[in-house]
């Protein structure tokens, strides 16, 4: 599944860049940093017991809600 997600992201971004160049703006860098932080959190949460429990799930939903509010305010 992980390699499929990476392939999809790179393929879509590659095709979109071939059609129209993608500019790198500050918002994109912030979003990329948030994506990396979320990914590391999932790895840590899933790596402890090989599953994500209720507390970790709540923490991830809370982080996503905070990020969604940030996007709306931005």
């Amino acid at each position: 599944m992980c390699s499929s997600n990476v392939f999809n992201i790179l393929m879509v971004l590659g095709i979109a860049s071939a059609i129209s160049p993608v500019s790198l703006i500050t918002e994109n860098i912030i979003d990329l940093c948030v994506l990396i932080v979320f990914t590391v959190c999932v790895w840590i949460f899933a790596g402890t017991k090989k599953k994500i429990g209720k507390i970790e799930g709540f923490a991830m939903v809370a982080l996503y809600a905070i990020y969604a509010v940030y996007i709306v305010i931005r």
Side-chain angles (χ1 to χ4, degrees):
M1 182 172 125
C2 183
S3 62
S4 174
N5 292 339
V6 171
F7 176 77
N8 287 340
I9 290 171
L10 295 177
M11 186 66 148
V12 169
L13 187 59
I15 291 172
S17 297
I19 295 171
S20 174
V22 178
S23 61
L24 189 62
I25 55 177
T26 306
E27 287 84 11
N28 290 348
I29 295 172
I30 293 170
D31 292 341
L32 183 62
C33 291
V34 170
L35 175 67
I36 291 169
V37 168
F38 283 0
T39 302
V40 170
C41 285
V42 169
W43 279 346
I44 291 170
F45 290 158
T48 55
K49 298 177 188 172
K50 301 297 181 200
K51 70 178 196 174
I52 297 175
K54 291 181 183 180
I55 295 173
E56 291 94 351
F58 179 75
M60 289 174 19
V61 170
L63 286 172
Y64 179 75
I66 292 168
Y67 177 65
V69 168
Y70 164 74
I71 292 295
V72 170
I73 291 172
R74 176 171 76 177

